[in-house]
Amino acid sequence: MAKEMGITICIENLYDSLGSHLVEGPCCNAKKAVERIERMNEKYHSEVLGFCFDTGHANLVGLNFEQFLTTLGGSGRESQGVLAGFITKIS
């Protein structure tokens, strides 16, 4: 449906709390996220899946922004890579 409508669905680096601990969600590993995104986009021959990097979530867990974004953006594809957007949160 995304391909037909010309939209890109984005996955995000989400974290959850388990007791007093933050745990990684399924899209917190940049390399695995790139693999998932590229697999879906190749399957549908279109950019139907992308990534929205949430800087607030990344900051909570001390994620290395540069390394994560380099992995996302350095997929080697001719297009813009898999990175589709940013979310920032100021509290």
Side-chain angles (χ1 to χ4, degrees):
M1 182 177 215
K3 180 179 178 179
E4 290 79 19
M5 297 183 74
I7 61 171
T8 302
I9 299 166
C10 293
I11 57 177
E12 179 184 342
N13 53 310
L14 292 174
Y15 299 85
D16 201 358
S17 60
L18 184 63
S20 61
H21 301 285
L22 282 176
V23 293
E24 292 184 345
C27 301
C28 294
N29 179 304
K31 185 177 180 198
K32 288 181 182 179
V34 167
E35 290 169 0
R36 288 183 186 117
I37 291 166
E38 289 183 340
R39 188 170 51 246
M40 287 294 286
N41 290 343
E42 287 173 12
K43 178 179 178 178
Y44 292 100
H45 306 287
S46 182
E47 291 191 16
V48 296
L49 195 60
F51 197 94
C52 182
F53 183 74
D54 189 312
T55 58
H57 291 161
N59 193 47
L60 281 174
V61 296
L63 191 69
N64 181 324
F65 284 35
E66 183 178 2
Q67 182 180 14
F68 200 93
L69 294 172
T70 299
T71 301
L72 288 175
S75 63
R77 296 181 347 190
E78 301 249 341
S79 66
Q80 299 174 1
V82 298
L83 189 61
F86 292 91
I87 294 176
T88 57
K89 295 180 182 173
I90 302 172
S91 45

